[in-house]
Amino acid sequence: MTPTSSSPSVDSAARPDTDGRWTPRLVLLLIALAWPTQLLAAGGILGANATAGVAQAFHTTQVVWFGLTLTLTSTLLTPFVIKLGDLYGKRRVMLAMTALGALGETLAALAGSFWLVLAGRAIAGFYGPFGALSFAAVRDVFPARLVKSASGIMGSSVGLVALVSPFLAGWLVDGWGYRGALWFLAAATAVAFTLVALLVPETPRHSFETGFDWLGGLVLGGGLTAVVYAVGQGQSWGWADARTLGWLVAGTVALAVFLLIERSSAHPILDLKVLRRRPVALALTAGGLAQTVAFTMPGLAILLALYPHIPGVSAGLGWSAHHNAVVSVSWNLVMFGTGLLASRLLRRFDARRIWCAGLVVMAVGYTLVGFRHGNELQLALTSCIANIGAGVVVAGAPALVVGVVTRDEQGLGSGMLNMLISLFGAIVTAGAYAVLAADSTVVKGTAFYLDTGYSWIFWLGALVTVVALALSLFIPPLRDPEAEDARPAGATA
């Protein structure tokens, strides 16, 4: 018997009448889901480029909150978004999220004080968990034969975003300052709202429940938020600082309390029986770790590129942001192209083998980056190897989740993967900065990093990838969504 969710589908998904081939309507539908999903990645790049302008405009030493506010709001809301999507349909929740996202970025762009900017970013954070719904929606609205490839294309499109966003960020920030970046995000989020409203059909509800576990959601979201906050601040506060330890303990206690609450809740916000299944736990953990590496390492490589080259003091390459954007075209194109190829192969071959092959290549690639990153040619060649694997990872992770959960559990699976990427991302980033700090030189209060530190952050990425590979070897054969979705709702195999 195949375990099923405790919340079977209430209504049947409206599937397009096709034989499993791509049609113009399906292409538009994919764009409508991919645009708002990958806008999150673009927003991260634009926000990073706008941070210095915000600090200077408002003369604040607390500019870290410009990005952190959005991240914490998104983390807190993710459990609620997962459940609301199952209760009321994902399209309705997506529309609310994109509307609030556009409103928040508009408020931040218009703000005349730093705290009002933060209020706008907090509201914009409602849009943050969009990926928890969009990948799950693919299974609801695409023909079963195209679920894996559509998910893969949507995931791999992050390479295209990484290709264009640095140039866009430079143009906006150089021409209009930080407000230019925020106005663009507001307009792009409004476009996302329009695309979802016009092109995405309502998805089926996947829950009979009328109650809602608000307490469980707040405790889970609050616990995750506390841990992410502590890890994010640990480097500046110090890992032994009472504030860091206090937030870590508070977050850990909240997560433990959440487990107790869910066991006795009549309407649990997360179905823990699903998460306790070995295939689900393995796929989510391996997928979260591997995607964390794929998303985090390129951002850390920007430090290497932009920090100055001062012999004996700083081992950065000393590039301009524009030069870095030009050089990074190579590996971002490789990531996008590999992801598209992998999305096609996922329909024909065992997704586990493709996934594991991608992990091997990514681990080898980042090992090589650690050894060879001293100039444009070295960094481009080694990063292209790493991003061959990363392209497979971003395309394969959604297919991995599809293969271990039922259709009714897809929202839970995608949402948990989203939460783990946020959590692992904070931990890996903090670990990378700790590694850099261990091999640094401080000049007039500014830390400059030496080459050994840069090497070790890439080797850290390779090590995390190897851990994901080791877990992936124990994932059992995956479900076929075409066969799974062909059965009546609630049927077991």
Side-chain angles (χ1 to χ4, degrees):
M1 295 285 286
T2 300
T4 59
S5 171
S6 61
S7 53
S9 181
V10 174
D11 28 283
S12 301
R15 295 297 183 104
D17 185 14
T18 124
D19 58 1
R21 290 182 296 182
W22 286 98
T23 65
R25 178 177 178 274
L26 290 176
V27 171
L28 290 173
L29 178 56
L30 183 62
I31 292 172
L33 290 172
W35 174 280
T37 301
Q38 298 305 351
L39 183 58
L40 297 168
I45 296 172
L46 292 172
N49 279 269
T51 300
V54 172
Q56 294 173 50
F58 296 103
H59 307 288
T60 178
T61 60
Q62 302 298 317
V63 74
V64 63
W65 286 96
F66 178 72
L68 193 58
T69 298
L70 189 144
T71 301
L72 295 179
T73 303
S74 174
T75 304
L76 176 65
L77 292 175
T78 298
F80 296 98
V81 166
I82 298 169
K83 191 66 175 181
L84 290 171
D86 279 347
L87 282 172
Y88 301 110
K90 298 177 183 65
R91 178 177 180 271
R92 295 176 184 174
V93 182
M94 287 177 183
L95 289 173
M97 293 167 71
T98 49
L100 288 168
L103 175 63
E105 298 292 11
T106 300
L107 177 60
L110 290 170
S113 71
F114 181 61
W115 301 111
L116 198 54
V117 170
L118 296 186
R121 295 291 278 175
I123 296 171
F126 279 73
Y127 177 45
F130 192 93
L133 296 183
S134 58
F135 284 100
V138 168
R139 192 165 184 181
D140 284 332
V141 299
F142 275 82
R145 285 190 62 203
L146 293 180
V147 167
K148 288 183 180 179
S149 57
S151 298
I153 292 171
M154 196 159 77
S156 62
S157 61
V158 70
L160 194 59
V161 172
L163 177 68
V164 174
S165 293
F167 295 100
L168 177 63
W171 175 64
L172 290 169
V173 174
D174 291 345
W176 294 277
Y178 78 91
R179 294 187 192 271
L182 293 175
W183 277 119
F184 175 85
L185 289 173
T189 310
V191 171
F193 176 90
T194 304
L195 290 173
V196 173
L198 295 179
L199 298 173
V200 178
E202 185 54 89
T203 64
R205 296 163 53 219
H206 291 283
S207 177
F208 281 121
E209 299 169 357
T210 56
F212 197 92
D213 183 12
W214 290 101
L215 178 61
L218 287 171
V219 173
L220 173 60
L224 289 171
T225 302
V227 172
V228 170
Y229 178 60
V231 172
Q233 296 289 82
Q235 184 59 37
S236 58
W237 285 346
W239 295 106
D241 188 273
R243 292 170 294 178
T244 305
L245 296 176
W247 281 102
L248 283 173
V249 170
T252 303
V253 170
L255 294 176
V257 171
F258 167 74
L259 296 178
L260 297 177
I261 292 173
E262 292 301 277
R263 292 175 64 179
S264 59
S265 174
H267 307 286
I269 198 164
L270 295 182
D271 189 345
L272 297 181
K273 294 190 294 296
V274 174
L275 302 178
R276 283 198 295 263
R277 297 205 308 261
R278 185 170 66 91
V280 177
L282 287 171
L284 291 179
T285 305
L289 288 171
Q291 287 207 98
T292 293
V293 174
F295 295 145
T296 303
M297 287 297 114
L300 293 171
I302 294 176
L303 289 176
L304 167 66
L306 300 187
Y307 260 63
H309 181 73
I310 308 172
V313 176
S314 176
L317 297 176
W319 297 349
S320 67
H322 179 77
H323 185 69
N324 178 62
V326 171
V327 176
S328 67
V329 165
S330 57
W331 57 78
N332 286 321
L333 278 177
V334 166
M335 183 178 183
F336 180 56
T338 304
L340 290 181
L341 176 61
S343 68
R344 293 180 62 87
L345 297 177
L346 288 168
R347 291 183 60 182
R348 304 178 183 179
F349 302 101
D350 187 340
R352 292 176 303 165
R353 295 184 179 181
I354 297 172
W355 168 258
C356 288
L359 293 177
V360 169
V361 175
M362 189 164 75
V364 170
Y366 278 119
T367 300
L368 293 175
V369 176
F371 284 110
R372 293 288 183 267
H373 53 255
N375 55 48
E376 288 94 337
L377 181 60
Q378 288 183 3
L379 189 59
L381 288 177
T382 54
S383 294
C384 281
I385 295 172
N387 272 21
I388 290 173
V392 175
V393 164
V394 297
L400 210 64
V401 176
V402 166
V404 295
V405 298
T406 67
R407 187 176 167 198
D408 291 326
E409 299 162 351
Q410 185 67 48
L412 173 60
S414 297
M416 284 301 301
L417 180 63
N418 208 56
M419 284 192 283
L420 287 176
I421 292 171
S422 296
L423 181 60
F424 293 155
I427 294 172
V428 169
T429 300
Y433 275 98
V435 167
L436 287 171
D439 189 43
S440 64
T441 302
V442 178
V443 179
K444 295 182 179 180
T446 301
F448 295 95
Y449 308 118
L450 301 176
D451 191 63
T452 303
Y454 286 119
S455 293
W456 272 106
I457 62 172
F458 296 120
W459 292 334
L460 173 65
L463 178 62
V464 174
T465 305
V466 169
V467 173
L469 175 62
L471 294 173
S472 300
L473 296 177
F474 295 96
I475 297 175
L478 303 176
R479 285 184 170 95
D480 181 355
E482 187 173 359
E484 178 80 24
D485 294 351
R487 291 195 295 271
T492 58

